[in-house]
Amino acid sequence: MSGAERYVYGFAEGGMEMRDLLGGKGANIAEMARLGPPIRVPAGFIVTTQACIAYLDRGELLPRVEEEIDQALAALEGEAGKRLGDPTDPLLVSVRSGARESMPGMMDTVLNLGLCDETAGGLAARPGAERFAWDSYRRYIQMFGDVVCGIDHDLFERAIRDLKSERGVTLDTELGSEDLRGLVAEFKRIFAEQTGEVLPQEPRVQLLRAVAAVFDSWNGDRAIEYRRLHGIPDDWGTAVTVQQMVFGNRGQSSGSGVAFSRDQITGAPGVSGDFLVDAQGEDVVSGTRDPEDLAEMAGVLPEAYDRLVEITTMLERHFRDMQDVEFTVEEGTLYMLQARSAKRPPHAAVRVAVDMVGEGLLEREEALAKLDASRLDALLHPSFDPEYVVEPVTVGVPASPGVAKGTIVFATEKAVDRAAQGEEVILVRPMTEAADVAGFNAAKGILTSEGGKASHAALVARGMGKPCVCGASALDIDLEKMVMQVNGKVLGEGDLIAIDGSSGVVTTQDVPLVDAEPDEYFEKVLEWSDELRRLGVRANADRPVDAEKARRFGAEGIGLCRTEHMFLGADRLAKMRAMIMAESEADRRAALAALEPLQRADFEGLFAVMAGRPVTIRLLDPPLHEFLPHAEDLVLEIERRLAVSGGEPSVDLERQLHRVRELEEANPMLGTRGCRLGLLFPEIYEVQVRAIVSAAAVMRRREGDAPELEIMIPLVDFAEELRAMRDLVERTAAQVAEELATNPVPFTVGTMIELPRACLIADRLARDAAFFSFGTNDLTQTALGFSRDDAEGRFLTEYLQRRIVDRSPFETIDREGVGELLTTAVERGRRSRPELGLGICGEHGGDPDSIAFFHEAGLDYVSCSPFRVPIARVAAAQAAIATS
């Protein structure tokens, strides 16, 4: 039988190179067995991931799989010197899951399989084994009933609690042999009552049913959700490891535990972990007993402890990564049951990487490749004080990292007003939209009851570096009454709330906040990344404070300055609205004249921070109605004033409502925005260009070092649009130079590529554009025909659940669709203009998987929100390492 046709492998036949077939657990156990002394690994075999896939397709085990299991079991019995089902000294086995990538606690396990009435009785008759036998049998019935038959786990736990209460004891270990024998009888009664069948007594039947149940757990709710969160494909399946049991519940010379080759919290050198005397491994991880610190094992079982430290260190060096191992001590003898790469917090992962390079265990490229770049931004945001016990009122989607606390407000206007008075506020909404941006700017954090990581709230919050929790569905928000209810609590405006955008926690406690700063280990990782990456990393920044933050995090320039964000704040918004309400070009120009010095001052601030570095400024992009109040709000206010004034109309509000109605569009995403505004109202773009160029001239005169200025035309569809806007920019810049009697400030003109047609005519656009910057948020919307907000709020969750898409296309780039458009534009643009600058400024610029694609596509740089700059630096290095 060739290897390709096999479904079952003995430990001696496997190794770490067979991970895809044997799963991570099985491959690593086989590798430990291959290493030999001093490592003791109980014998066993692995049913492959291919057997799982076949089972899930058919709904039953293949006959050949059952046949190979029988053959492997016979070999195991020969190696162990015991037989499954032997009435006097039975072989007992564990049946455990093991996918390619570790999914801790997400799938199922059955221990002590092979026990039945006959084998348990025979085992109990052996000298000194009575309590052990009945303890193992009750554990088996509970796990088989739960995992294989779906019996509510708590039914068994309740029976244990009742018995301990009756006996007046606290711990399971305080129950005697007869107590446990009685518990077995009660568990069998529960089993029969819940399933309508007698507990299976034939060990082979038990084994085949347990293997099938572990395969089924691959499609359990928690496993599916874990895969979705961690990007693990559904079609991988899980392997099943069948292994001879060794027993930590054989008295005071036995025990079980979990050990880490370094501190699991800090990453500092030194073995750490948990341990329990007279316990099986499930006791340690299930929480039924409070484990001891691993260091306590040194005093109880010193020889086993010393051997464990030796082996754990050896495994770390062999697998070249921090290890998480499971072990059992049976009557003084140490057995190793599992070894896997340890999950660790971001700060610990960074320290481990740096320390391992310093110890000569890893090269820096290998150490960098092991980091999960997507989790590193947690190192840069404030956090809740770790000493404070936080009691959540609910948990939502962690959408933008960091923590914030403040008083609740439900409306953008309230957020702006209260923040202006010095109050710290949290903006709470069912979902947010473009009109809420001013509220984002004013608030310390954002909380929504709808949406996910790619919702409007999440994207804007990350762009502004604001903590955000989305999709907290337990919140019942009533915007009319300005209250929300959550788990029996009613909260109104002015009540305190705190959110953690890194974990999704929402609490009403006044939690102390702790600032974070990159430590020496993270600084070293970033230094390595900068030396290895090819992609440049810029930041999306609209204000000097954002630019300063971006520079602190290592941004090499600004890849997107959204000029519309410069109109936030009550005073500026009023001036912007005056411009929009103007009924003639002359009136518009007069209103714009009031805005020009404000924008010029903002640009001077940005240029001062980014002196000598590239700054890409996008001219006004959103439709004008987004700066005006909602029509519904105006109608309500007009009605309120009419009631107060006794029927006297408000002319100003009536005019505003009329203008809002004029500007309303069926689909503003595809309406009068971007360069279309510049064509219809050229005076808007002229004033913006004047502010930009004059600010650069001031900086050159004052500092002697102007930025590398790049002016970007948004939402271009036709080459003629770009040509007209480029001419407007160049003409206006020349006028400014003449007025200032100075040499023209050097700049380039480019375009934002965010429409499919622009990708397809990129060769023509490149004739008039010095650079392309891909706006992948809008390109995703226009390519897929998805409105981001509508998709998030209505159908994208269903798409994810049904695996129509594996991840939100607004979270990571859609390679097959949007990615193809991007690569087409890159190829055609560079064919027309070989020196064409290429970057990306959508939120995908901070996503590691997307960054890998942008590296492969040949872009020059990525741009992302300031807090994601360090992630992008590391991810760009990882992309370079992967393709080197």
Side-chain angles (χ1 to χ4, degrees), residues 538 710 750-751 753 769-774 826 829-830 833-840 858-861:
R538 302 186 192 179
E710 300 175 346
T751 185
I753 302 289
F771 66 88
F772 289 168
S773 179
F774 291 92
V826 168
R830 283 240 165 105
R833 185 191 286 257
E835 74 280 12
L836 181 70
L838 294 169
I840 175 266
L859 300 193
D860 298 317
Y861 69 86

Side-chain angles (χ1 to χ4, degrees), residues 738-757:
E738 184 177 344
E739 291 170 11
L740 296 177
T742 182
N743 291 328
V745 172
F747 63 88
T748 57
V749 177
T751 185
M752 197 170 193
I753 302 289
E754 47 197 324
L755 298 171
R757 191 177 195 277

Side-chain angles (χ1 to χ4, degrees), residues 682-724:
E683 56 272 18
I684 296 177
Y685 276 15
E686 287 171 5
V687 166
Q688 289 198 296
V689 172
R690 289 181 61 85
I692 293 166
V693 174
S694 57
V698 167
M699 289 308 302
R700 184 176 60 182
R701 186 169 60 247
R702 184 189 304 161
E703 306 291 341
D705 195 7
E708 294 179 21
L709 184 56
E710 300 175 346
I711 298 176
M712 183 159 66
I713 312 300
L715 209 76
V716 165
D717 241 334
F718 301 93
E720 292 77 9
E721 291 173 320
L722 177 58
R723 192 170 304 119

Side-chain angles (χ1 to χ4, degrees), residues 62 208 283 305 354 356 398 458 493 535 537 550 561 574 609 676 740 833-834 838 852-853:
L62 291 172
L208 294 178
D283 298 330
Y305 176 79
V354 173
M356 283 188 169
E493 283 200 334
L535 277 172
V537 178
C561 170
V609 176
R676 301 157 196 172
L740 296 177
R833 185 191 286 257
L838 294 169
F853 172 76

